[in-house]
Amino acid sequence: MVMTTLVAVFCGAIGLCVGSFVNVLIARVPQRESVIRPRSRCPKCGTQISDRDNIPILSWLLLRARCRSCGVRIPARYPLVEGATAVLFVAAAVRFGASWQLPAFCVFFAALLAISVIDLDHFIIPNRIVYPTLVLTIPMLAGAAAADGTWRRLEDALIGGAAGFGALLIIHLISPRGMGFGDVRLAGVIGVMVGWLGLWYLAVALFLAFLMASVIGVALIATRVKTRKDAVPFGPFMASGAVIAVLWGPVIVDAYSRSRG
Ligand SMILES: [Zn+2]
């Protein structure tokens, strides 16, 4: 218990810093800019942001949401993304404890958040996030399999990746305008990560994604926020379904099997 609390606090702190980087990804990846250099600048006056003004959440509060030099408003999205990343990291720590899987799922969650916001903004799921996520997480999962002797899970991860990719590929081929190829690649990544926990979890994740997309899609049309012709990005729904399946999959599968007696 003490151990889990320590790991959760540590992951929360790391999550705040990674959240800052997620903001950088969201701002720069769609513009095809480097995510390493240069340092962040104010979009209005171009002043470089100093270290003391770059502390996650805290700087935004201390500066009262304004740039120190020109006073332009800094959107609340910045601290919200940092906070959300920290919450996801803490949730992963509580779910997995101090284990080899934990860093892999932290990377996965941070990538899902960046991809969701970019998809909402630009209707794209960038390869520059999808591929590095696989490059980072697959070796981590292989390490976890080696350390814990759970090679069976790595097999499920690879089958899951193929299943997620394949399922969405079929939908993409039937309706290329409704389901972009970025969604197909993302389903592959989700298939690997969620499949690692069990192929059941992947079924839950994809089912939730389609369920939420239809419920929210109908609600947006009913409230006239969108018309039938507007595109609604599917990435955020797949990402949410994956996070819910990873964190509460056992509860959901348990409730389902009990309801069937
Ligand atoms: Zn400024």
Side-chain angles (χ1 to χ4, degrees):
M1 192 60 213
V2 177
M3 186 63 185
T4 306
T5 310
L6 280 175
V7 173
V9 170
F10 177 73
C11 283
I14 301 274
L16 286 173
C17 302
V18 173
S20 276
F21 183 64
V22 171
N23 275 320
V24 171
L25 293 177
I26 291 167
R28 294 188 186 177
V29 167
Q31 318 300 329
R32 301 181 180 280
E33 292 167 357
S34 162
V35 295
I36 301 163
R37 282 159 182 283
R39 291 191 50 139
S40 299
R41 291 170 182 278
C42 167
K44 180 90 185 294
C45 67
T47 308
Q48 201 169 48
I49 294 161
S50 63
D51 284 332
R52 67 166 174 173
D53 292 342
N54 217 359
I55 305 161
I57 301 180
L58 199 65
S59 291
W60 187 83
L61 294 172
L62 290 175
L63 290 167
R64 290 160 197 256
R66 293 195 178 279
C67 166
R68 189 183 286 279
S69 26
C70 72
V72 72
R73 266 199 103 69
I74 306 165
R77 182 197 269 183
Y78 289 90
L80 284 175
V81 164
E82 288 158 354
T85 311
V87 168
L88 288 169
F89 277 36
V90 168
V94 172
R95 170 78 168 82
F96 295 107
S99 72
W100 290 98
Q101 310 165 72
L102 180 54
F105 279 90
C106 284
V107 169
F108 179 50
F109 282 176
L112 289 179
L113 182 59
I115 286 169
S116 296
V117 178
I118 291 172
D119 200 13
L120 284 169
D121 278 354
H122 306 280
F123 293 96
I124 50 166
I125 295 178
N127 290 337
R128 273 182 71 199
I129 299 181
V130 168
Y131 293 143
T133 303
L134 283 178
V135 169
L136 285 170
T137 53
I138 290 180
M140 288 178 183
L141 292 182
D148 307 332
T150 46
W151 292 105
R152 173 74 206 283
R153 291 191 147 194
L154 201 60
E155 211 178 287
D156 278 353
L158 298 178
I159 297 170
F165 188 90
L168 278 263
L169 179 64
I170 292 169
I171 300 171
H172 167 77
L173 292 175
I174 295 169
S175 162
R177 286 164 60 89
M179 190 71 70
F181 203 74
D183 295 309
V184 178
R185 290 196 199 92
L186 176 60
V189 178
I190 287 174
V192 167
M193 294 303 296
V194 182
W196 161 267
L197 296 172
L199 294 171
W200 252 107
Y201 288 71
L202 179 58
V204 169
L206 292 178
F207 173 75
L208 287 175
F210 283 104
L211 180 70
M212 289 186 289
S214 14
V215 169
I216 291 173
V218 167
L220 288 175
I221 291 167
T223 52
R224 308 242 162 103
V225 176
K226 300 249 179 198
T227 69
R228 215 169 274 274
K229 282 179 185 156
D230 286 323
V232 176
F234 191 55
F237 294 111
M238 270 197 286
S240 320
V243 170
I244 295 170
V246 168
L247 295 178
W248 295 291
V251 184
I252 297 168
V253 172
D254 198 46
Y256 176 76
S257 51
R258 239 183 302 157
S259 74
R260 305 199 59 189

